[in-house]
Amino acid sequence: MLKQIEGSFAVAEAIALCRPEVICAYPITPQTHIVERLSELVRTGDVGNCQYINVESEFAALSVAIGASAAGARAYTATSSQGLLFMAEAVYNASGLGLPIVMTIGNRAIGAPINIWNDHSDSMALRDAGWIQLYAETNQDAVDLHIQAFRLAEQLSVPVMVCEDGFILTHACEQVDMPDSEQVDSYLPPFEPVQVLDPAEPITMGAMVGPEAFTEVRYLAHHKHLRAIEVIPELSTEFEHIFGRNTGGLIEPYRSEDAETVIVALGSVVGTIKDVVDEMRDEGVSLGAVKVVSFRPFPLLALREALQNAKRVIVVEKCLADGLGGIVVGSVRMSLRGTSTPVYTIIAGLGGRAITKKSLRRAFNEAVADRLEDPHFLDLDWKVIDHELARSQEKRRSGPIAENILRELGLVGGKPV
Amino acid sequence: MQKPFAIALDVGTSLANLTGSWRTERPVYVDLLPPCNHACPAGENIQAWLYHAEEGDYESAWRKLMESNPLPAVHGRVCYRPCETACNRGQLDQTVSIHAIERFLGDEALKRGWTIEPGAPTGKHVLVIGAGPSGLSAAYHLRRLGHEVTVHDAGPLAGGMMRFGIPKYRLPRDILDGEIARIVGMGVTVKLDSPVTDIPEQMKKGGFDAAFVAVGAHLAKRTDIPAREAGKIVDAVSLLRGMETGAEPPKLGRRVVIYGGGNTALDAARTAKRLGASEALVVYRRTQEQMPAHDVELEEALDEGVILHWLRTIKQIDGTTFTVEKMKIDENGWPQPTGEYEELEADTLILALGQSVDTSFMKTIPGVEIADDGVIDVDETMMTGYRGLFAGGDMVPAERTVTVAVGHGKKAALNIDAYLRGEQRELPEKHPAADFERLNTWYYTDADKTVQPTLDLIRRRTTFDEIHGGLDETNALFEARRCLSCGNCFECDNCYGFCPDNAVIKLGPGRRFEFNYDFCKGCGLCAAECPCGAIVMEPETF
Amino acid sequence: MSQRIKFYQTGTLTVGNRLLDAKDRTVQATLDRGNSLTSGHRACQGCGEALGARYVVDAAMRWADNRVVAVNATGCLEVFSTPYPESSWQVPWIHSLFGNAPAVATGVRAALRAKGRTDVKVLAQGGDGGTVDIGFGCLSGMFERNDDVLYVCYDNEAYMNTGVQRSSRTPPAARTATTPPVGNSSGNVFGQGKNAALIAMAHNIPYVATASVADLHDLEEKVTKAMGIDGARYIHVHVPCPLGWGSPPHDTIRLARLAVETGLFALFEAEDGEVSDVTHIRRRLPVEEYLKPQRRFAHLFRPQTDADAIGQIQSIADRNIEKFGLIGRNG
Ligand SMILES: Cc1cc2nc3c(=O)[nH]c(=O)nc-3n(C[C@H](O)[C@H](O)[C@H](O)COP(=O)(O)OP(=O)(O)OC[C@H]3O[C@@H](n4cnc5c(N)ncnc54)[C@H](O)[C@@H]3O)c2cc1C
Ligand SMILES: Cc1ncc(C[n+]2csc(CCOP(=O)(O)OP(=O)(O)O)c2C)c(N)n1
Ligand code: SF4
Ligand code: SF4
Ligand SMILES: [Mg+2]
């Protein structure tokens, strides 16, 4: 059923259709609308037999989910940014214990400086925490990926993060084709845990494992992700059968087969990139794009295949590894191992800076001309940087950088001293 | 369940990890010798019978007690209770009133008519000479061992000094009679008024395979006191004996002086009081502390109005006037004359200077040795120099008490049994002592000793009614439960509960515990928290 | 709380007592006790925590007819009981993290509730570090929501598993690896202390109690009582650690007892935020008796006696005695 709906609400309603038994949440922008709506849905009885727990921290939120999942309940939580980092220890723990929790990440930058706007620093910080990470381009994606996420998680006993861009998706009102409960029920069977805390059949969960078996334990986790590479497309196909939509999968190529230059990206920016591709194609530039849906596990082979005809690859990503450059690009390069295809990195949209078509076009053109520096910081204000670097060179106690920049930009009064 | 590898485990699998290998010391259950048992001349396993009494199982308690002592009702009254002197509880609050529980059990047995079965007949026949406590004890134990027993006694009634020495007010005769009757009832032949004069002859004549002689010490010791005009002088033993046999109580007069400081002196004084003497004055050479009489008895005598005149010797008698010299104690603890004199007035003088053994009929027996102080020598099996003739009680060198006499009777019986089988008696191994220091007294609840009811003083001074009452059931139970069970497991479950490694296996009621050395790490908590010191840590040897 | 049975010869002071009615004996005294924490675990010799945990879980299991799920924080208890490939637990048990046991327990509870399994009881447990320090946020949240969880803290007064570092439960003057009595310092600081039970009470949860491995009857009664109550419950159990305290392994129970008898560890229980009962001191003793056998306090006695520090510790004990009324008719 098509519905004009805010992204967060769409996701909340999709979660409700998945009949989680325990939802726990701690508020943080931009995740708030999801959990607010869910609290309502639980109270109105729309989620069925579900316990909604308002916890005192994200650490507790995921811990509650861990306990719930270990006791055999379908468990869900959502967070963003600082919240994800605050629960970091539990993030690893959930995957280490093989608990199929689904968590929405409303992607947001990490402070300091504190910033509520979108980028991918949060989920990227925990990209190797053993969770599967699926990135949504649209709110339709977000809805569909959540439903697939529960199937995937429970089939493999591995937790899944569904990442959607804060504000850009969470707070955007768009048309979403909302599934109905029959569809979801036929796609998502009740949770059958492989291990459960049950007095009738007691087990010990979370043992201490030393060097004698730790590598094997870790390998088995790796193996699960390798399995996920196979399972994700299968689930996507099955999803299409029931819901009539082709969403999910590992990657989604867009006009890339014959493109000389292929842009790789994840999340909502892919939409903008597709527009730019269309425009530039019209102008005769051989451009295509590949959307990475599953960032963890990273679809090395699928991507390699998708990029095999490309002469160059550009990775657009909303995160930064200081001193190195991109994060996503590392994985992309790995998928191109042994080829000589040049790969460019564009760092864009940090802390919510708008990624405009215009800026993208400019950068893409530079890349196509093989003139783009790597990494390239989209729309970086060099004037500010140069001035600030010079100033701090002069004076050791030069004051807070962020504030100085704001002054420099004239956004707050007075010039920096 | 398809558990994930390594991070999820099957329950209880650590049983594969035998932590016993960590141990450098191992706990071991022991049964130590409780001080009461150690002190009991009759060899009673007091702690063991109290264990049953604690549970209210008085018959089992009594039967356990009867394994050693056939006269609990008597002992509960007259024994000087060396067990209580030794009792560890005395260091905590007050000693356990062992005698009171013993008396309760003895009385209970008489009331309920509990009996002991004799042993399977062995075909052997033993002659016992003397039906005092020692002879009776020997007879009893020999019967239990299945031997036939014939007892000869010179007197008209069995009991020896229990009857002809110890006054009624301390030992009512129905009690004594009851306990003797039970022994006789086991098939002991008792021949009264039949003194034995020639033991070897008697043994041969009667076809006895062995004999036990315990004729006691009956001859009153005398002392020469210059007398210008001899007043009325009696000896204590005759006086007390007379109380039992004579129809008329002896006339002692208003004022009586008793010379001596032992229990006999006090019993004579207290009897004199009861017979109407307004003044009973005990004259003793040394200090009150040095009196051989037991404290309890002294205290009771004083309560009853007996007067004590210590550090005095009687120098001269002139009718009813006695000249006494004051004494002082020298640095060696001996009384020395001071040359100071005083005079006393008395109608009767009772001599209570001790008794000696009539050894005349023993001297002639080949091999029998008489020790310096006129007692019969015996070896560690209680056998005299004459093969097959054993002796015990007051007539052998030992403390002269009913309890020692009974202990001799038991020991002699066991040795006679071995002798009759042509064997050497195997002595049970001696357990180390359960000293107070070995106990963890925290665990014992605070509980003051139960006090026995006592007859009021007027009646104590005028009648021969028994002074002390017994405990009732509740009191006896309470008192039994004051026992600390020194050195012997009483199944408090502390070891079982306090072992962090579940290395103590509980075997079930009455069956105690076992260590599981597969898991015991040797921490020693069980030993430290065992209230009664029944666990010791020993160096590990593997 | 425990109505002390003065039934000679040992009444309820010993683990069992064959002279008592079966109902007055402890779970630990029973032939068929669960041994929820079974043999083969790797706790040090004489570990009070191993003991405390077995007491608590066995009692809980007895109450719930074995329908218990346990959640464990990181710490000695977790490490010594579940090193792969062996587990000492005989209950469904999960270890997640150091500081999240209360929340994990909440999750288990929520799951069971969602599944209609209200017959299953949830027990969470951790050391003093996992509870009073790093897990305190989660614990407070669990209390505030009044989640139906019994949380038990085994207080051995330091971070033992990591090698005896100070926790907020480490007593003043105690030596730990991070409070060495060197220079001018005499061990741990004399701070304000952190009485987790009182803080728990401030949440007005239905039941809070302190207990000691030295008083098994009292401990089991508290666990049993707590098990019968719905909502958040907290029991703080004092468990000596031979390794961390520098005490002989056989002294574990004695030290726990001395902590109670000196007044340093007050035994009480509270219902709905109010102290409802205290266990009186039986034989009051000066704090030296407790301090002396422990190497972590050795510097208070050698090379010379630190009367000042000992005096301050004594006044802590005195304050407890005063505050909780620890001297009673039976004391
Ligand atoms: C007044 C008094 C009070 C006492 N109070 C206590 C007390 O309170 N507690 C305590 O423990 N002890 C007490 N004693 C000591 C105790 O009574 C004796 O130690 C004990 O009775 C000795 O027992 P026995 O069997 O060796 O000899 P006895 O009891 O003296 O018995 C010897 C028996 O042998 C018989 N006999 C003697 N010669 C012959 C013979 N030739 N042939 C056959 N039979 C013979 C006698 O008739 C007598 O029956 C007391 C003693 C006296 C005198
Ligand atoms: C987040 C985190 N910080 C630190 C540790 C290291 N650590 C593990 S156990 C422990 C101490 C446990 O102390 P406590 O909770 O008192 O339990 P104990 O070992 O004393 O029984 C510490 C500090 C950890 N595992 N996790
Ligand atoms: S308490 Fe247990 S581990 Fe310690 S010595 Fe005793 S049996 Fe062994
Ligand atoms: S360090 Fe302490 S708490 Fe840890 S196992 Fe050893 S004794 Fe127990
Ligand atoms: Mg600790």
Side-chain angles (χ1 to χ4, degrees):
Chain A
M1 188 186 64
L2 287 176
K3 208 170 169 185
Q4 189 70 21
I5 186 170
E6 185 188 302
S8 293
F9 292 174
V11 165
E13 284 169 24
I15 296 298
L17 289 171
C18 293
R19 304 183 193 281
E21 292 160 292
V22 176
I23 296 173
C24 30
Y26 188 84
I28 181 166
T29 306
Q31 153 263 37
T32 40
H33 289 182
I34 301 175
V35 295
E36 286 167 7
R37 177 73 179 128
L38 273 170
S39 77
E40 204 177 317
L41 290 169
V42 170
R43 283 170 188 240
T44 52
D46 285 311
V47 194
N49 223 342
C50 180
Q51 301 286 312
Y52 187 100
I53 319 264
N54 280 297
V55 290
E56 69 286 347
S57 75
E58 287 84 358
F59 179 60
L62 188 51
S63 299
V64 169
I66 287 170
S69 184
R74 182 170 289 162
Y76 170 81
T77 186
T79 191
S80 294
S81 179
Q82 318 295 135
L84 181 62
L85 294 197
F86 199 75
M87 64 167 67
E89 198 194 4
V91 172
Y92 278 81
N93 190 251
S95 57
L97 291 171
L99 299 173
I101 298 161
V102 171
M103 172 160 66
T104 306
I105 307 297
N107 283 113
R108 169 183 150 179
I110 291 171
I114 191 161
N115 172 303
I116 62 167
W117 309 105
N118 168 246
D119 70 26
H120 288 171
S121 311
D122 49 4
S123 54
M124 282 299 160
L126 288 168
R127 65 190 178 274
D128 291 320
W131 289 55
I132 287 172
Q133 287 191 339
L134 306 177
Y135 285 78
E137 179 195 337
T138 61
N139 280 331
Q140 187 66 60
D141 257 9
V143 164
D144 295 352
L145 287 179
H146 275 100
I147 298 165
Q148 294 179 34
F150 279 110
R151 256 301 284 282
L152 178 63
E154 290 168 14
Q155 188 164 328
L156 296 175
S157 296
V158 66
V160 179
M161 282 182 210
V162 180
C163 307
E164 49 174 313
D165 288 323
F167 293 108
I168 300 169
L169 294 182
T170 55
H171 288 57
C173 228
E174 22 179 270
Q175 209 176 49
V176 178
D177 187 358
M178 289 305 294
D180 60 40
S181 63
E182 269 150 54
Q183 287 173 314
V184 176
D185 287 348
S186 68
Y187 182 76
L188 182 61
F191 175 32
E192 265 300 335
V194 295
Q195 50 169 353
V196 63
L197 295 167
D198 178 5
E201 207 184 331
I203 53 160
T204 296
M205 283 172 73
M208 184 180 79
V209 179
E212 71 281 15
F214 198 81
T215 309
E216 287 69 26
V217 169
R218 299 302 303 139
Y219 180 83
L220 289 168
H222 172 59
H223 181 80
K224 270 188 197 173
H225 277 237
L226 297 183
R227 280 279 300 134
I229 300 250
E230 296 160 23
V231 172
I232 290 169
E234 291 164 15
L235 291 181
S236 164
T237 311
E238 208 183 310
F239 188 87
E240 191 175 1
H241 286 316
I242 293 173
F243 298 85
R245 274 190 306 282
N246 178 8
T247 41
L250 296 166
I251 56 171
E252 191 193 299
Y254 182 78
R255 302 180 77 173
S256 62
E257 273 115 287
D258 58 343
E260 281 180 13
T261 303
V262 179
I263 300 139
V264 177
L266 22 86
S268 61
V269 73
V270 173
T272 319
I273 290 169
K274 282 176 182 170
D275 288 350
V276 177
V277 165
D278 289 346
E279 287 172 23
M280 289 177 68
R281 277 247 174 193
D282 291 348
E283 291 157 18
V285 186
S286 174
L287 214 56
V290 174
K291 168 169 94 176
V292 174
V293 180
S294 168
F295 181 66
R296 285 293 182 267
F298 194 79
L300 290 172
L301 282 180
L303 189 64
R304 186 185 177 87
E305 243 165 68
L307 299 179
Q308 65 188 349
N309 300 325
K311 291 214 166 58
R312 69 183 66 73
V313 173
I314 304 168
V315 178
V316 177
E317 52 181 309
K318 293 183 171 180
C319 51
L320 170 66
D322 296 340
L324 181 65
I327 293 171
V328 179
V329 71
S331 300
V332 174
R333 284 200 172 105
M334 201 161 160
S335 76
L336 290 171
R337 244 178 332 185
T339 71
S340 52
T341 317
V343 182
Y344 298 94
T345 320
I346 298 175
I347 310 290
L350 296 186
R353 175 162 300 181
I355 302 175
T356 62
K357 285 197 278 187
K358 193 172 135 217
S359 302
L360 283 177
R361 282 175 72 108
R362 197 172 53 231
F364 292 166
N365 277 323
E366 292 290 294
V368 168
D370 285 323
R371 281 198 310 261
L372 192 70
E373 82 278 15
D374 183 45
H376 174 76
F377 289 82
L378 198 69
D379 296 338
L380 183 66
D381 189 339
W382 280 108
K383 223 171 73 226
V384 172
I385 298 288
D386 291 341
H387 183 271
E388 181 60 18
L389 289 177
R391 201 182 58 83
S392 57
Q393 197 90 44
E394 257 164 45
K395 199 166 171 201
R396 178 149 178 78
R397 290 206 176 182
S398 51
I401 293 171
E403 199 178 315
N404 288 331
I405 291 172
L406 293 178
R407 286 172 199 246
E408 185 62 31
L409 294 174
L411 295 175
V412 296
K415 280 271 170 189
V417 279
Chain B
M1 221 182 278
Q2 258 251 302
K3 294 186 304 298
F5 170 71
I7 50 168
L9 304 174
D10 287 322
V11 293
T13 37
S14 66
L15 291 172
N17 182 33
L18 303 186
T19 51
S21 60
W22 300 17
R23 200 168 56 235
T24 54
E25 277 187 299
R26 62 161 53 200
V28 178
Y29 287 108
V30 289
D31 280 290
L32 303 178
L33 182 61
C36 52
N37 292 10
H38 183 60
C40 177
E44 283 182 29
N45 190 342
I46 297 163
Q47 173 277 324
W49 61 254
L50 280 172
Y51 180 87
H52 296 295
E54 285 153 23
E55 291 173 345
D57 182 357
Y58 304 120
E59 182 163 350
S60 297
W62 179 78
R63 291 196 181 279
K64 187 77 203 164
L65 196 171
M66 289 291 285
E67 285 174 16
S68 298
N69 188 340
L71 303 168
V74 168
H75 280 79
R77 291 173 165 86
V78 305
C79 178
Y80 295 124
R81 323 158 192 176
C83 55
E84 293 182 21
T85 308
C87 174
N88 275 334
R89 180 132 203 162
Q91 297 181 57
L92 196 61
D93 41 31
Q94 300 118 13
T95 63
V96 176
S97 192
I98 298 168
H99 76 280
I101 309 158
E102 184 174 39
R103 168 176 166 161
F104 170 80
L105 294 175
D107 289 358
E108 198 69 6
L110 290 174
K111 202 159 76 189
R112 311 217 178 266
W114 295 333
T115 54
I116 301 289
E117 288 302 304
T122 59
K124 304 281 185 193
H125 197 171
V126 183
L127 169 67
V128 173
I129 304 153
S134 204
L136 288 169
S137 165
Y140 164 81
H141 285 289
L142 287 164
R143 281 305 292 139
R144 282 193 0 131
L145 293 162
H147 307 300
E148 208 180 314
V149 181
T150 300
V151 182
H152 280 256
D153 195 283
L157 285 168
M161 279 302 186
M162 296 188 292
R163 183 184 302 278
F164 296 109
I166 303 173
K168 285 193 184 71
Y169 56 83
R170 293 205 286 125
L171 178 57
R173 298 311 184 228
D174 56 329
I175 297 295
L176 179 62
D177 291 342
E179 294 212 306
I180 293 174
R182 189 172 54 222
I183 297 171
V184 174
M186 289 169 76
V188 176
T189 309
V190 182
K191 296 193 170 164
L192 297 171
D193 295 317
S194 36
V196 174
T197 43
D198 184 340
I199 298 174
E201 170 63 20
Q202 185 82 23
M203 286 175 74
K204 208 181 301 152
K205 211 171 66 193
F208 292 104
D209 302 291
F212 176 66
V213 56
V215 294
H218 290 244
L219 305 178
K221 288 184 184 160
R222 309 223 118 223
T223 179
D224 281 331
I225 305 169
R228 228 174 280 160
E229 188 198 328
K232 188 169 182 188
I233 301 178
V234 296
D235 73 75
V237 184
S238 310
L239 168 74
L240 294 170
R241 188 181 176 83
M243 295 298 300
E244 296 303 307
T245 52
E248 269 295 296
K251 299 222 167 12
L252 302 172
R254 221 169 46 77
R255 290 169 304 176
V256 180
V257 163
I258 304 95
Y259 197 22
N263 293 310
T264 309
L266 294 181
D267 272 335
R270 295 168 73 183
T271 298
K273 272 289 214 190
R274 283 170 172 76
L275 288 174
S278 55
E279 194 178 296
L281 189 69
V282 175
V283 173
Y284 177 55
R285 286 191 313 147
R286 307 194 196 187
T287 62
Q288 184 173 339
E289 292 71 49
Q290 286 168 309
M291 288 180 77
H294 288 87
D295 288 347
V296 205
E297 282 194 52
L298 177 61
E299 210 174 292
E300 285 177 8
L302 293 173
D303 284 348
E304 289 166 15
V306 171
I307 300 165
L308 211 58
H309 223 53
W310 61 87
L311 286 174
R312 301 285 189 281
T313 49
I314 301 177
K315 280 292 171 196
Q316 195 174 357
I317 306 172
D318 189 358
T320 57
T321 307
F322 294 74
T323 307
V324 297
E325 181 175 4
K326 291 190 181 173
M327 309 293 280
K328 65 165 194 279
I329 300 296
D330 68 14
E331 58 275 15
N332 300 319
W334 296 107
Q336 299 296 345
T338 58
E340 282 177 61
Y341 297 93
E342 56 188 28
E343 284 188 351
L344 304 172
E345 287 295 317
D347 302 313
T348 308
L349 170 65
I350 302 175
L351 294 176
L353 302 168
Q355 293 94 249
S356 47
V357 181
D358 177 5
T359 52
S360 57
F361 74 117
M362 299 288 291
K363 283 191 181 126
T364 53
I365 306 175
V368 170
E369 301 273 338
I370 314 268
D372 289 347
D373 43 354
V375 287
I376 307 296
D377 261 342
V378 286
D379 66 13
E380 69 287 343
T381 70
M382 309 298 295
M383 188 152 76
T384 65
Y386 183 76
R387 268 190 72 71
L389 175 61
F390 296 74
D394 280 3
M395 71 185 294
V396 303
E399 208 192 332
R400 288 180 178 171
T401 69
V402 173
T403 323
V404 169
V406 162
H408 285 173
K410 174 186 173 190
K411 189 172 169 192
L414 294 172
N415 283 308
I416 289 169
D417 179 62
Y419 167 80
L420 292 177
R421 282 184 282 108
E423 289 169 9
Q424 199 82 36
R425 181 179 162 225
E426 276 199 40
L427 289 177
E429 78 169 296
K430 269 269 185 239
H431 297 278
D435 301 331
F436 186 73
E437 290 65 42
R438 290 188 187 242
L439 309 181
N440 187 336
T441 56
W442 165 262
Y443 292 104
Y444 299 105
T445 45
D446 311 283
D448 288 339
K449 187 180 191 145
T450 321
V451 182
Q452 284 169 263
T454 309
L455 207 63
D456 68 72
L457 266 179
I458 311 274
R459 285 176 63 204
R460 276 170 65 181
R461 285 176 186 168
T462 53
T463 72
F464 282 85
D465 292 350
E466 184 170 23
I467 299 171
H468 295 296
L471 301 179
D472 62 21
E473 229 241 70
T474 6
N475 288 341
L477 188 68
F478 173 95
E479 195 56 29
R481 287 175 173 183
R482 293 182 66 242
C483 169
L484 310 179
S485 193
C486 307
N488 290 268
C489 172
F490 59 102
E491 297 184 20
C492 73
D493 293 320
N494 265 10
C495 53
Y496 181 55
F498 284 137
C499 175
D501 294 283
N502 312 347
V504 175
I505 302 165
K506 179 168 171 154
L507 300 174
R511 299 172 56 210
R512 297 186 171 183
F513 308 87
E514 226 169 60
F515 288 110
N516 184 345
Y517 294 113
D518 281 348
F519 296 112
C520 164
K521 293 173 184 163
C523 69
L525 262 176
C526 49
E529 299 308 320
C530 175
C532 65
I535 302 174
V536 296
M537 298 302 290
E538 289 178 353
E540 190 50 78
T541 45
F542 48 26
Chain C
M1 175 171 353
S2 81
Q3 184 56 49
R4 181 73 67 207
I5 295 182
K6 279 201 174 187
F7 206 43
Y8 310 102
Q9 57 214 154
T10 57
T12 44
L13 290 167
T14 41
V15 168
N17 185 343
R18 66 187 210 288
L19 306 175
L20 292 182
D21 280 358
K23 69 166 175 38
D24 294 323
R25 302 187 201 169
T26 61
V27 173
Q28 287 304 309
T30 56
L31 258 176
D32 60 342
R33 73 173 188 222
N35 283 342
S36 309
L37 179 67
T38 197
S39 307
H41 61 69
R42 289 150 203 260
C44 303
Q45 293 158 314
C47 173
E49 189 165 82
L51 212 45
R54 192 186 72 221
Y55 291 170
V56 168
V57 185
D58 274 358
M61 289 279 276
R62 178 65 56 101
W63 187 93
D65 209 3
N66 293 348
R67 285 191 295 271
V68 172
V69 172
V71 176
N72 213 122
T74 312
C76 274
L77 178 59
E78 165 263 325
V79 167
F80 72 60
S81 65
T82 59
Y84 164 81
E86 292 155 3
S87 166
S88 306
W89 293 102
Q90 317 230 52
V91 283
W93 179 97
I94 183 173
H95 159 245
S96 172
L97 293 168
F98 189 21
N100 71 353
V104 174
T106 292
V108 172
R109 174 77 279 163
L112 292 168
R113 182 164 287 148
K115 292 174 179 303
R117 292 296 307 271
T118 39
D119 60 319
V120 179
K121 285 282 180 178
V122 182
L123 178 92
Q125 49 187 1
D128 48 305
T131 306
V132 185
D133 286 343
I134 199 166
F136 215 51
C138 286
L139 187 69
S140 175
M142 191 274 272
F143 287 163
E144 170 275 318
R145 292 185 302 269
N146 200 22
D147 292 333
D148 187 23
V149 171
L150 168 57
Y151 191 99
V152 181
C153 170
Y154 303 106
D155 181 5
N156 54 19
E157 302 184 340
Y159 296 130
M160 297 312 176
N161 186 50
T162 34
V164 198
Q165 297 84 13
R166 175 202 191 270
S167 80
S168 61
R169 287 291 308 159
T170 300
R175 166 202 291 272
T176 67
T178 51
T179 57
V182 292
N184 289 332
S185 104
S186 60
N188 190 27
V189 290
F190 280 79
Q192 295 302 109
K194 187 169 178 183
N195 190 321
L198 292 181
I199 303 173
M201 282 164 60
H203 292 76
N204 282 327
I205 56 175
Y207 188 76
V208 174
T210 58
S212 164
V213 282
D215 196 339
L216 182 59
H217 281 264
D218 188 63
L219 181 149
E220 284 193 356
E221 274 180 48
K222 286 168 174 169
V223 173
T224 306
K225 187 163 182 181
M227 287 296 287
I229 295 171
D230 291 330
R233 291 141 289 149
Y234 181 72
I235 302 181
H236 191 98
V237 187
H238 200 222
V239 292
C241 163
L243 181 94
W245 296 13
S247 54
H250 63 251
D251 266 351
T252 295
I253 296 294
R254 182 166 83 102
L255 287 173
R257 184 161 60 232
L258 287 168
V260 172
E261 294 300 292
T262 50
L264 284 172
F265 192 84
L267 294 179
F268 63 94
E269 59 180 353
E271 285 167 60
D272 303 320
E274 300 294 334
V275 173
S276 53
D277 211 344
V278 298
T279 304
H280 291 132
I281 289 175
R282 184 163 170 236
R283 295 178 188 151
R284 187 178 182 179
L285 291 165
V287 294
E288 280 97 326
E289 299 271 336
Y290 171 69
L291 303 174
K292 265 203 182 126
Q294 306 180 47
R295 263 202 320 279
R296 63 174 172 161
F297 295 114
H299 55 280
L300 300 184
F301 300 95
R302 278 184 309 271
Q304 67 267 341
T305 305
D306 186 344
D308 188 44
I310 296 171
Q312 285 190 65
I313 296 172
Q314 183 63 56
S315 46
I316 293 171
D318 294 346
R319 258 203 314 279
N320 278 344
I321 289 170
E322 172 82 6
K323 180 180 170 83
F324 293 101
L326 297 178
I327 305 287
R329 298 159 307 279
N330 62 353

